[in-house]
Amino acid sequence: MKRSEGTLEVIKSGFYGSIQDLGRFGYAHWGIPAAGAMDEQSYLLANHLLQNAPNDACLELTLIGGEFQFHHPTTIVITGAPVNIQVNGQTYPINHVIDIKAGELLRLSPVKKGCRIYLGIYGGFQTEEVLGSKSWYAGITQNTKLEKGMSLPYQSVPQKRTAPHAKVAMDDALFEDEVLEVYRGAEAAEMDEQRFEQLLAGEFYLSAKQNRMGIQLEEKFENSLSEILTAPVYPGTVQLTPGGKLMILMKDAQVTGGYPRILQLSPQAISCLSQKKQGDKVRFTLIDEW
Amino acid sequence: MSHQFKYKHISPTILELYWPASIEESTLMEMMSMKTQIQHIWQEALLETTMGYHCLSLRFASPIALDEVLNKLERIAEKNGSSSSNFSRKQWTIPVQYTGKDLERVAKHTGLAQDELIALHQAPSYLLYFYGFMPGFMYLGGLDQQLFVPRKEQPDPMIEKGSVAIGGKQTGIYPMNSPGGWNVIGKTPVQLFDVNMDPPLKPQPGDKIKFEAISAENYQDIISQMEEKNYQLPYEKI
């Protein structure tokens, strides 16, 4: 198939967008965060539907879609949080492979539920790769945030799909589930067993303090644990701050921390939490046998 | 290893190894020796090996068979205990112009004259334990107790790249522009972290760091040398 360079032009950038792949591994010992798609499940679905490699870079959009013009033919798919999808005025469902002609305009509405949208493209975005990953991160990659007027390169291919594609069943659990599966954190054993039970019985709401680094929960959870000697932390680590706030580290999280690590989210729970927004409720459920 | 082997199995893919909870050079050297051998054995099966002061974390790419991994680790630890580590270690000299905006604040808090505190900051050979907090941020051990100064209650919205600062019981260098609550006492002209360098960071955990006062003129000289890609961070083997 003939390939040439294509470009996507950002007409409206939405709220917060970035290029993400599976992340940057092997550099945490230099203090470099993994980054990578927040909702890995929806991200992987986009690449799967396009028959891309699992690590092909997608565009991750938070809360508000935006407008994008494709200057060359390609094939795309939108996954993750449900949104209205229009290409030159024609409406498409989510998780549906869409052929794009040169010059066509893609319009994505704000999310109807959930939080993060993935725009996958045939062969992945051909943006700058640094230390084995295309994931944007300040101080590592040139670009850190999607801006109006940016041009993102991709491999242009003539449309190749004519047969309508079966609609993929939405994984509603990502958007509907309040329950986050967790393991005991490194300092969980130092917690009073009753307090730990309260943690598992509690309901928590996502605060406004959240970004790709971490999500702080609204409720205060009384803390009797002291700070720890700085130790490794991971995406999905739940830290308990001295002020009694629960801080769930996400993909852009720093690689070490000094607050007690009381829970560790499963990868599935990180994807699920990535689709929650301010005011949404979560609970923790312990995976005790594994 | 000179103590009983301790671990925490955090999740199917995360295993943490523990040393006694204190900040010791001997612990760091044991951890580094373990880390080297672990990386050699598991190679691509390991996504990351990260260190804290007394914790070495192993993140595997897929779920591990715990017993099997622990058996191998026990054997490494036994060998480790009987052999002394033979790392090539370096001491790096980082030039600093001590004209930070919080010098007066630090002087006031410590009751030291500015030239005394500048001398005290240059005196030790700091041990680089690990990187964390942000890309290229060094966790250094060895700050003189007389220089312990609390972090600011209101963090500064922007501390410039290269700022040398004191926060609590620690000192360090901001490798990139960042908000921060530490007291800035100086600035280095050297770009310590650069993704375009190979490796992006020269000092490695286990290395030592010395700070050396330079004049405004020296500072400009080093900047020019760096622009001409003609500057090498000075070091000696230790």
Side-chain angles (χ1 to χ4, degrees), chain B residues 1-3 5 34 37 70-84:
Chain B
M1 277 165 91
S2 53
H3 66 96
F5 193 80
M34 278 290 275
Q37 294 172 70
L70 287 175
N71 275 334
K72 283 187 187 168
L73 288 171
E74 288 284 359
R75 283 207 296 278
I76 297 172
E78 275 167 32
K79 262 204 304 195
N80 219 28
S82 60
S83 69
S84 62

Side-chain angles (χ1 to χ4, degrees), chain A residues 63-137:
Chain A
L63 293 169
I64 298 169
E67 284 183 29
F68 308 93
Q69 187 158 33
F70 296 87
H71 290 297
H72 304 83
T74 186
T75 305
I76 63 163
V77 67
I78 310 296
T79 64
V83 286
N84 290 321
I85 302 164
Q86 279 196 355
V87 178
N88 269 22
Q90 192 181 338
T91 304
Y92 291 91
I94 199 151
N95 301 334
H96 184 89
V97 174
I98 308 166
D99 283 334
I100 299 283
K101 296 188 192 74
E104 283 191 323
L105 184 73
L106 168 70
R107 276 206 176 98
L108 298 174
S109 72
V111 296
K112 290 185 265 184
K113 58 181 171 180
C115 185
R116 289 184 167 86
I117 309 156
Y118 291 87
L119 164 53
I121 196 159
Y122 179 82
F125 284 101
Q126 303 297 307
T127 49
E128 168 199 37
E129 180 172 309
V130 183
L131 302 176
S133 169
K134 294 193 172 81
S135 289
W136 287 1
Y137 186 84

Side-chain angles (χ1 to χ4, degrees), chain A residues 19-25 33-41 43-45 47 53-58 118 132-135 212 235 251, chain B residues 47 59:
Chain A
I19 290 286
Q20 298 294 336
D21 55 22
L22 284 171
R24 188 169 281 111
F25 295 101
M38 291 278 277
D39 171 3
E40 208 166 281
Q41 232 169 282
Y43 157 87
L44 285 171
L45 176 63
N47 280 332
N55 199 36
D56 282 343
C58 293
Y118 291 87
S133 169
K134 294 193 172 81
S135 289
R212 286 185 39 90
K251 293 294 183 83
Chain B
L47 273 186
R59 265 185 89 193

Side-chain angles (χ1 to χ4, degrees), chain B residues 95-125:
Chain B
V96 181
Q97 192 188 353
Y98 283 99
T99 50
K101 63 183 174 66
D102 300 317
L103 262 181
E104 208 178 306
R105 212 180 107 91
V106 176
K108 205 170 157 191
H109 184 88
T110 57
L112 295 163
Q114 290 195 12
D115 55 349
E116 283 176 314
L117 77 86
I118 291 169
L120 280 174
H121 190 256
Q122 288 176 81
S125 178

Side-chain angles (χ1 to χ4, degrees), chain B residues 45-154:
Chain B
L46 271 171
L47 273 186
E48 293 285 0
T49 46
T50 11
M51 286 192 299
Y53 283 113
H54 71 129
C55 171
L56 172 62
S57 141
L58 314 179
R59 265 185 89 193
F60 290 87
S62 50
I64 55 166
L66 182 62
D67 287 348
E68 198 183 298
V69 170
L70 287 175
N71 275 334
K72 283 187 187 168
L73 288 171
E74 288 284 359
R75 283 207 296 278
I76 297 172
E78 275 167 32
K79 262 204 304 195
N80 219 28
S82 60
S83 69
S84 62
S85 55
N86 53 343
F87 289 101
S88 70
R89 297 169 69 189
K90 296 186 175 96
Q91 175 166 288
W92 303 86
T93 302
I94 295 180
V96 181
Q97 192 188 353
Y98 283 99
T99 50
K101 63 183 174 66
D102 300 317
L103 262 181
E104 208 178 306
R105 212 180 107 91
V106 176
K108 205 170 157 191
H109 184 88
T110 57
L112 295 163
Q114 290 195 12
D115 55 349
E116 283 176 314
L117 77 86
I118 291 169
L120 280 174
H121 190 256
Q122 288 176 81
S125 178
Y126 298 93
L127 178 60
L128 170 53
Y129 279 91
F130 54 89
Y131 287 99
F133 173 52
M134 66 171 106
F137 186 86
M138 299 175 187
Y139 278 76
L140 297 174
L143 183 68
D144 192 302
Q145 284 197 19
Q146 296 174 75
L147 295 179
F148 291 0
V149 184
R151 293 170 178 83
K152 292 175 189 171
E153 276 178 27
Q154 272 301 46

